[in-house]
Amino acid sequence: MSGSKVLGGARRRRTRCRRCQACLRTECGECHFCKDMKKFGGPGRMKQSCLLRQCTAPVLPHTAVCFACGEAGKEDTVESEEEKFSLSLMECTICNEIIHPSCLKMGKSEGIINDEIPNCWECPKCHKEGKTSKDQGDGLGKRRMDNGEVSRWKLTDEPPPSKKKSLSLEDGARRKKDKELPQESGSRKKIKAARDKHLKKQKAKPNSSDSSEANGPNSSLGGGHGSAGGSGAAQPSTPSQDQRSHHREKLERFKRMCQLLERVRDSSSSSSSSSESGSESDSDSPSPAAASEPPSPAAVYSGSMRERNRRLAELGFSASEDSDGESAAADRGEVNARVRRAVVDAEADDDEDRAGDRGHRVSAADPSSPLSATQLPPFGHGHLAGLSSSKRTNGQDARNGRTRVAGRELQEKENSSSSTVTNHRHTAVKTARGSRMRGGSRQGQSIPSSKSTGTAAAGSGTANGNSGTSNPGSMSLAPHRSQLVKRSAVAVPSPPRPLQMERHLVRPPPACPEPHCLPLDSGASHVLPRDVWLHVFQHLSQPQLCVCMRVCRTWSRWCCDKRLWTQIDLSRQRSITPPMLSSIIRRQPVSLNLGYTNISKKQLMWLINRLQGLLELNVAGCSWSSVSALCQSVCPCLRLLDLSWVEDLKDSHLRELLAPPSNDTRSAHGENRGGRFQNVAELRLAGLEVTDAVSRLLVRYLPHLSKLDLGQCCHITDQSIHTLTSAISPLRESLTHVSLAGCVKVTEQCLPLLRRCASLQSVDLRSCGLLAPDVCQLHCFPSAEDRLLLKNS
DNA sequence: TGTAACGTGCTT
DNA sequence: AAGCACGTTACA
């Protein structure tokens, strides 16, 4: 808390929006934090939100007011977007000041809006001063950027190891005891904490109000510390302590980042000549070096962008990388490699855009033309993380940001540095994390690390489709994405770590406006507006889209449009990596094919819980140990579930999967009442060793089932058909397509039973050994008359 | 006033 | 680096 108030006022803690999917969800009752809650029988010490309910768009508290005029946001009073913006409260990620853009004397247009977090930007003042989040990082700090999201958005959905748990309990008890008893450590701690606090307060108080006011909204400016300004009492107006520690933290982070980068570079085939230094974090580190890219003229985004670009370049993801990548591609297949690279870069760009691009002047800034690849500096992992984090900074980062730098020691406090205080600290951890995952962090969730099969299977991926047609975007991005991921995985080979380690915030792509025009070098806009380009993109294949994403930031963002990625096919990608997961989340596909992958349970759970809009899920050929993740998820929207050939899936498993959660607490949610997948209309169980018992489950828990695939289920008999088509079965009316192909135990007895289905349109009875050859075929009868034909047959 | 939970320090 | 604990903030 202390950190919170720095500049312009106390930094306001953000609170949940209450509108996003996460906020609307009910507690899962199963995650680590839920289990801690008293309502779920826990001790209630952790006081953290359910992992599934972590808001993806935390907002400023209702009580937040403009630093300048003291009034709340008034965007509701106007209609136009521009006015809304002017009258809404915007919180600067750098100085933390909350202000109405209209209350700023300087052009509000110079601020860089963070699309990912509501009411979040880098205010014009900070910008003008060239304080990018990064810059601050160095000295001043602050930044909420790092997103601390991480810390909170950990992927702890799964219960911590029991061992640990018990330990923790004991530990907890012990701790408590310690505290209660005048034990040394405990008391000492407390004392220390108290003292620190006290110090902080003392320092802060004097300034707090004054300083902020005195300095004006941007107290941050004043000096490095400015950012911190006066708000909080906690943050010492005195630059000293916190700043010191921040400074230190930053340095550490920087170092770590460098190391990470190094690693990346080494490992990745495409290492480019980069300077290590800057890489650290995206953000904060002061980057030394010269930018690999030419500085862009655009004022606004120039500073930060440049920095970012530079860093990217340093990471080796710059255009030069292409060549590298290509050579590498040779090994695995040029196309794939290329696509992969493209995706990666694109992603990076994407992220970057979000981060920096918000200014919307991207291309202009770039020396290269909008079409030139150079313009978009591909990101290194770290960058992404950094960037995104910077955007997200506010509350979230803070949350993540746990800094554990030693920096808090008194010594540090005593040293004074001119640096400013930062509210948020990022931890190296974050950065590191970010770097690993590169996916944007948009959704606020941590990504489970992949099992790490490092290599990848070849991607079959070609495009399935382009769909250019019907839906604006239905393309399967499969290979690309997967490859992308792969690449990243390759690039940053991290030693096998516990799955739980990854914590990366991934927010869904912002719904916010993207640049509507394509800026050209000349400063003018391309004649074709975004909408037109999107129409074009809809007709491109995945590889083509990926290529487009590398053209320029604007294209990168446009190509990231969810409509272009409604279907994501990662099937047969043996390695599902965190970046892949991140990419998926960001695209929020409607259809996801994870068939024949080695996705882990944790990964799947993580994904499903963050894809609440998912309508189709294919986990065919995966192992039950992974698919069982679905038992701990709720997918009320799911319409198609493909469980074909899931290894080791038995009747009991299916029961567990389809039945509503037994947990009482959750039964409260209506969604669970009819079973987890009560709205599933198409279920594929081909190749499973299930018995007739499953038919009862289907009748009971999948009342809306219309398409059922029991092909190759050798234990299925006529009994199942009987159950499915009995008078009390809702499926009798709903079934339209049934496949019993290869069900060797099905006899002709099933035919009269099937006739009871009023809506049946087709029955696949091929390869049913006990049926006469003339019956053993695919029967299609779209109309009642046709059904009669079947009957006659 | 009570509950939820954010943000951060401290421990492991 | 991960996780725990808890003061404090936000809000009903």
Side-chain angles (χ1 to χ4, degrees):
Chain A
M1 321 238 108
S2 51
S4 355
K5 330 192 161 187
V6 178
L7 285 182
R11 177 153 88 66
R12 306 306 302 266
R13 171 192 281 185
R14 282 186 176 246
T15 187
R16 57 169 69 250
C17 68
R18 297 161 188 271
R19 289 186 298 184
C20 68
Q21 286 189 332
C23 286
L24 295 176
R25 220 174 288 171
T26 48
E27 275 138 352
C28 68
E30 295 176 354
C31 72
H32 190 45
F33 295 136
C34 277
K35 287 179 177 171
D36 167 75
M37 297 176 192
K38 288 187 176 174
K39 71 167 110 174
F40 293 114
R45 283 192 291 252
M46 299 178 73
K47 296 187 281 194
Q48 301 297 304
S49 160
C50 168
L51 286 173
L52 300 190
R53 295 193 64 237
Q54 298 192 11
C55 180
T56 55
V59 299
L60 290 172
H62 296 157
T63 54
V65 296
C66 174
F67 183 75
C69 70
E71 295 187 32
K74 298 173 283 190
E75 64 271 26
D76 292 342
T77 62
V78 294
E79 292 296 315
S80 74
E81 289 301 313
E82 192 175 340
E83 288 177 309
K84 280 181 183 293
F85 171 71
S86 295
L87 297 179
S88 64
L89 288 177
M90 296 299 292
E91 181 188 33
C92 175
T93 61
I94 299 173
C95 66
N96 297 326
E97 209 171 88
I98 296 174
I99 196 165
H100 291 124
S102 60
C103 289
L104 281 174
K105 291 173 188 171
M106 40 200 323
K108 58 197 174 200
S109 60
E110 311 234 336
I112 292 185
I113 300 171
N114 178 340
D115 300 344
E116 298 182 9
I117 298 183
N119 306 87
C120 182
W121 70 344
E122 289 180 14
C123 73
K125 285 184 188 174
C126 292
H127 237 292
K128 193 172 183 184
E129 295 180 0
K131 294 179 172 184
T132 56
S133 355
K134 316 169 179 180
D135 292 343
Q136 299 181 344
D138 299 346
L140 339 167
K142 112 182 273 318
R143 77 184 345 333
R144 327 158 145 213
M145 335 194 25
D146 287 355
N147 11 273
E149 337 182 311
V150 187
S151 45
R152 243 168 139 263
W153 307 75
K154 42 194 157 185
L155 175 60
T156 29
D157 296 324
E158 296 189 359
S162 54
K163 208 202 230 161
K164 200 164 189 191
K165 235 179 180 175
S166 58
L167 281 179
S168 64
L169 285 180
E170 290 175 330
D171 199 8
R174 200 198 334 142
R175 268 179 154 171
K176 217 173 183 179
K177 235 185 198 170
D178 289 347
K179 288 183 182 173
E180 289 169 0
L181 300 178
Q183 301 236 349
E184 227 190 21
S185 62
S187 58
R188 204 181 264 167
K189 255 192 247 170
K190 275 188 180 174
I191 292 172
K192 186 182 176 188
R195 184 179 45 182
D196 287 350
K197 210 178 192 178
H198 191 60
L199 286 175
K200 284 181 186 174
K201 277 184 183 172
Q202 279 185 324
K203 291 183 182 179
K205 271 183 187 174
N207 297 326
S208 60
S209 55
D210 298 355
S211 66
S212 55
E213 288 172 13
N215 296 340
N218 255 330
S219 40
S220 45
L221 309 184
H225 315 18
S227 55
S231 50
Q235 287 250 329
S237 27
T238 41
S240 47
Q241 357 176 340
D242 281 42
Q243 294 180 347
R244 300 240 151 268
S245 54
H246 277 299
H247 191 59
R248 224 220 205 148
E249 287 180 24
K250 298 220 160 181
L251 287 175
E252 295 211 355
R253 284 179 55 209
F254 181 75
K255 282 182 199 163
R256 279 178 216 166
M257 213 18 185
C258 288
Q259 291 175 345
L260 275 176
L261 291 176
E262 273 291 288
R263 255 210 293 171
V264 173
R265 227 174 280 136
D266 292 345
S267 50
S268 74
S269 58
S270 66
S271 56
S272 63
S273 60
S274 38
S275 62
E276 329 198 321
S277 47
S279 33
E280 146 174 10
S281 44
D282 21 347
S283 33
D284 319 306
S285 50
S287 41
S292 46
E293 301 200 357
S296 68
V300 171
Y301 119 133
S302 59
S304 57
M305 243 0 222
R306 224 182 295 149
E307 279 271 293
R308 284 171 189 150
N309 293 345
R310 198 208 322 132
R311 279 184 190 145
L312 288 179
E314 288 173 358
L315 283 180
F317 286 96
S318 60
S320 62
E321 184 181 14
D322 287 17
S323 51
D324 287 310
E326 288 185 9
S327 56
D331 303 284
R332 298 167 236 159
E334 231 184 359
V335 176
N336 285 343
R338 223 176 247 162
V339 171
R340 183 184 321 144
R341 187 178 337 117
V343 175
V344 174
D345 290 350
E347 287 275 311
D349 290 342
D350 189 32
D351 288 339
E352 183 168 270
D353 291 343
R354 286 190 173 119
D357 213 346
R358 308 203 156 177
H360 307 272
R361 306 184 179 177
V362 185
S363 10
D366 254 314
S368 43
S369 78
L371 296 182
S372 80
T374 54
Q375 166 168 8
L376 321 169
F379 276 79
H381 312 94
H383 291 313
L384 286 185
L387 290 179
S388 49
S389 58
S390 63
K391 311 173 179 181
R392 189 167 304 170
T393 3
N394 290 325
Q396 296 190 336
D397 31 340
R399 152 198 303 184
N400 311 320
R402 330 162 151 198
T403 338
R404 313 153 180 198
V405 180
R408 296 258 144 182
E409 301 158 5
L410 290 178
Q411 276 185 346
E412 291 190 15
K413 294 180 185 172
E414 285 162 34
N415 300 334
S416 64
S417 68
S418 53
S419 60
T420 55
V421 177
T422 345
N423 291 336
H424 307 267
R425 323 158 167 215
H426 335 217
T427 41
V429 177
K430 297 173 188 175
T431 346
R433 231 181 269 145
S435 61
R436 275 186 224 136
M437 323 223 91
R438 80 193 13 212
S441 37
R442 293 193 165 157
Q443 180 148 333
Q445 348 236 345
S446 54
I447 299 179
S449 60
S450 62
K451 287 176 178 175
S452 91
T453 39
T455 36
S460 45
T462 27
N464 291 345
N466 315 319
S467 43
T469 48
S470 46
N471 233 337
S474 41
M475 322 195 109
S476 58
L477 105 84
H480 324 306
R481 199 156 277 315
S482 56
Q483 287 170 347
L484 166 166
V485 176
K486 265 183 220 162
R487 184 209 200 194
S488 65
V490 173
V492 190
S494 50
R497 338 180 256 279
L499 291 181
Q500 206 165 2
M501 287 183 57
E502 300 290 357
R503 297 176 168 194
H504 183 64
L505 186 61
V506 180
R507 289 182 188 286
C512 53
E514 293 178 351
H516 286 284
C517 59
L518 183 62
L520 301 176
D521 281 346
S522 63
S525 295
H526 192 280
V527 293
L528 297 182
R530 174 172 177 266
D531 290 346
V532 174
W533 281 113
L534 282 183
H535 279 293
V536 173
F537 294 146
Q538 286 168 15
H539 294 278
L540 300 181
S541 66
Q542 292 179 12
Q544 290 170 329
L545 257 188
C546 292
V547 169
C548 289
M549 291 179 76
R550 303 195 66 214
V551 170
C552 67
R553 288 191 183 82
T554 302
W555 273 29
S556 174
R557 295 189 66 184
W558 289 350
C559 288
C560 220
D561 192 295
K562 280 199 290 188
R563 291 169 292 179
L564 300 175
W565 305 94
T566 56
Q567 298 178 18
I568 294 180
D569 182 359
L570 292 175
S571 61
R572 301 186 188 276
Q573 298 297 317
R574 292 307 294 175
S575 179
I576 299 296
T577 64
M580 293 169 111
L581 301 179
S582 172
S583 299
I584 293 170
I585 294 301
R586 295 172 56 195
R587 302 294 198 282
Q588 288 289 306
V590 169
S591 173
L592 178 60
N593 187 346
L594 296 169
Y596 300 94
T597 62
N598 68 341
I599 189 168
S600 70
K601 179 178 180 178
K602 175 164 286 193
Q603 289 177 318
L604 183 56
M605 192 184 312
W606 184 89
L607 265 182
I608 299 306
N609 286 330
R610 288 157 182 78
L611 293 174
Q612 293 296 301
L614 194 64
L615 298 182
E616 301 179 356
L617 175 63
N618 184 334
V619 289
C622 296
S623 66
W624 167 251
S625 61
S626 299
V627 174
S628 61
L630 299 178
C631 294
Q632 293 169 44
S633 307
V634 175
C635 310
C637 298
L638 208 61
R639 294 290 184 278
L640 185 158
L641 179 59
D642 192 338
L643 298 172
S644 302
W645 304 98
V646 167
E647 298 171 16
D648 304 322
L649 198 162
K650 311 220 162 28
D651 288 356
S652 58
H653 296 145
L654 206 53
R655 171 175 284 102
E656 188 184 350
L657 188 64
L658 300 179
S662 55
N663 192 328
D664 295 337
T665 59
R666 298 196 301 176
S667 58
H669 323 192
E671 54 197 12
N672 296 327
R673 269 176 132 213
R676 267 191 199 85
F677 304 102
Q678 58 176 314
N679 290 318
V680 164
E682 181 169 359
L683 180 65
R684 297 176 192 162
L685 301 175
L688 301 182
E689 294 191 354
V690 293
T691 69
D692 293 326
V694 302
S695 58
R696 290 193 291 276
L697 297 174
L698 303 183
V699 169
R700 183 170 177 188
Y701 299 120
L702 301 179
H704 306 298
L705 197 61
S706 63
K707 295 182 182 178
L708 175 62
D709 184 358
L710 290 171
Q712 311 297 320
C713 292
C714 54
H715 301 305
I716 293 295
T717 71
D718 295 334
Q719 177 59 44
S720 283
I721 314 304
H722 178 75
T723 304
L724 294 172
T725 61
S726 70
I728 59 170
S729 167
L731 306 189
R732 183 175 185 162
E733 299 300 320
S734 64
L735 281 175
T736 59
H737 299 83
V738 175
S739 174
L740 296 169
C743 292
V744 296
K745 291 186 179 176
V746 169
T747 72
E748 293 192 16
Q749 301 276 321
C750 73
L751 292 177
L753 297 174
L754 288 168
R755 285 185 199 122
R756 302 194 291 192
C757 293
S759 307
L760 202 59
Q761 293 175 26
S762 74
V763 176
D764 190 347
L765 294 173
R766 289 174 291 185
S767 303
C768 292
L770 299 181
L771 295 180
D774 59 327
V775 177
C776 196
Q777 57 183 290
L778 175 61
H779 302 271
C780 295
F781 30 114
S783 65
E785 291 178 3
D786 290 330
R787 278 203 295 286
L788 288 177
L789 290 178
L790 171 69
K791 198 174 183 180
N792 297 333
S793 71

